[in-house]
Amino acid sequence: MKKIFLLMMLIAVTIIPTACEKTPNEIADDFKLGLDVNFLEYTAQIEIKDLEDGTYPNNITLVPAADYGTSILNSAGKKNYNLSEGSITLILNPADRPQSPNEIKSFDFIASAPGYQTAKLKINFTENNKTVQMPVYLLHKTRETEGISTVSDNAELSGSQLKENKTIRFGKKSSKQTDGTIEVKAGTEFLNGSGELLSGSLLNVEVIDMDANTVKLSKIFPGGFTNQSVLKNGSRADKSFLPMSYTSINMYIGNQEVKDFSQSIKVNMEIDKNLYNPNTG
């Protein structure tokens, strides 16, 4: 009986290696991850930080400004734009890659976090610009720093119309070089992004104003000022821009953001005299 049992074990051992048609190495060589490497040809690395201290704000959200379908995805190939420690890598779908040297694939996103000013960022892909590195800086709405002023004010509404003329002053303080005003006429009506009339009891206005000589200005301005690609006589050239000022005005009725007005509003902005053009004034 023992001889028969040992013989059966020997047969089993000799059969097992020959039962596989391929060796483990051959099987590994044939294994496919299912990831198209072309997805990694065009990438954008986004990092969102606090403008003042460089930390990552809590609860950052990044949403596309339009429906781009499956044209731009996260690094896993999904339409999910959740960030990890303030960062995310986006990829361009190979089916939507630029088809000529002059074609630009452009995508707008909105970055926001509680207590911070919303920032808009634009991602541009070209055949000569396949890897985009984009730091994004969010400005805190209530943190006062040198050269920056923040103002939050309210105006009373009568239904959907501004009840009285309203003037909002910003930037008037010792740590700011320039200031300005916003004037809204009584009877002005306010609309959302869909063109729908907004109504409520109060119009909330948030203003953030920065001096032109503030070193942080080049960071907070959407897209920055350096290495901007512009078209000149049909060809592309890189240029740099010097900012004269930066003022952000956001209006809300309840939780609805105002995107349009029934009549124009007047904005007066002071320009730093040191930046005047001596030839044009």
Side-chain angles (χ1 to χ4, degrees):
M1 186 67 179
K2 289 183 179 180
K3 291 182 179 180
I4 295 174
F5 179 71
L6 290 173
L7 179 61
M8 291 177 64
M9 288 183 62
L10 180 61
I11 293 173
V13 170
T14 57
I15 289 177
I16 288 174
T18 59
C20 296
E21 296 181 359
K22 296 184 179 182
T23 66
N25 287 338
E26 290 173 330
I27 294 173
D29 290 339
D30 289 343
F31 182 70
K32 303 297 182 183
L33 293 175
L35 177 64
D36 186 351
V37 293
N38 290 325
F39 265 94
L40 304 178
E41 184 178 6
Y42 290 83
T43 63
Q45 296 178 352
I46 313 298
E47 187 176 31
I48 302 175
K49 295 182 177 182
D50 183 294
L51 175 67
E52 189 66 24
D53 57 22
T55 60
Y56 300 123
N58 294 324
N59 302 317
I60 303 173
T61 59
L62 183 69
V63 297
D67 184 4
Y68 298 118
T70 58
S71 295
I72 189 161
L73 307 165
N74 65 17
S75 57
K78 305 293 184 181
K79 286 182 63 176
N80 182 314
Y81 307 108
N82 294 333
L83 287 83
S84 176
E85 294 186 350
S87 301
I88 186 173
T89 298
L90 302 178
I91 57 178
L92 178 65
N93 192 323
D96 294 289
R97 72 181 69 178
Q99 299 300 309
S100 67
N102 290 329
E103 184 179 4
I104 302 174
K105 291 293 183 177
S106 183
F107 304 92
D108 291 329
F109 280 81
I110 305 295
S112 60
Y116 287 83
Q117 179 196 20
T118 297
K120 185 177 181 180
L121 52 143
K122 181 180 290 291
I123 302 170
N124 290 327
F125 291 114
T126 67
E127 288 187 354
N128 295 321
N129 187 36
K130 296 182 178 181
T131 302
V132 177
Q133 301 277 351
M134 183 170 290
V136 179
Y137 296 92
L138 299 183
L139 179 61
H140 201 280
K141 292 180 179 180
T142 59
R143 188 185 300 149
E144 293 285 347
T145 57
E146 186 77 19
I148 302 174
S149 73
T150 60
V151 175
S152 181
D153 202 351
N154 295 314
E156 190 174 353
L157 297 174
S158 176
S160 60
Q161 297 184 350
L162 189 66
K163 193 171 183 179
E164 299 177 345
N165 291 340
K166 181 68 176 180
T167 299
I168 299 171
R169 303 184 184 279
F170 57 87
K172 196 69 175 179
K173 61 178 188 176
S174 58
S175 62
K176 281 280 280 99
Q177 292 186 353
T178 59
D179 57 20
T181 60
I182 302 167
E183 299 176 15
V184 189
K185 295 179 181 179
T188 300
E189 294 181 315
F190 307 91
L191 299 87
N192 62 17
S194 301
E196 299 169 334
L197 197 64
L198 299 176
S199 61
S201 58
L202 288 175
L203 170 72
N204 178 253
V205 183
E206 296 177 350
V207 183
I208 298 177
D209 181 56
M210 302 179 69
D211 285 338
N213 62 355
T214 302
V215 294
K216 298 182 179 68
L217 181 54
S218 60
K219 294 181 178 180
I220 198 65
F221 192 87
F225 291 101
T226 59
N227 298 326
Q228 295 293 305
S229 185
V230 297
L231 289 175
K232 182 179 180 180
N233 299 327
S235 61
R236 193 168 302 281
D238 288 336
K239 300 294 182 181
S240 297
F241 297 90
L242 295 176
M244 297 292 286
S245 182
Y246 175 81
T247 302
S248 170
I249 304 170
N250 295 301
M251 297 184 181
Y252 303 89
I253 296 178
N255 60 356
Q256 290 280 315
E257 186 173 5
V258 175
K259 291 294 187 179
D260 202 357
F261 315 95
S262 62
Q263 55 183 310
S264 61
I265 65 173
K266 185 177 181 181
V267 180
N268 298 303
M269 297 171 56
E270 183 183 10
I271 302 298
D272 188 342
K273 294 180 180 180
N274 294 321
L275 299 177
Y276 284 0
N277 188 317
N279 297 321
T280 63

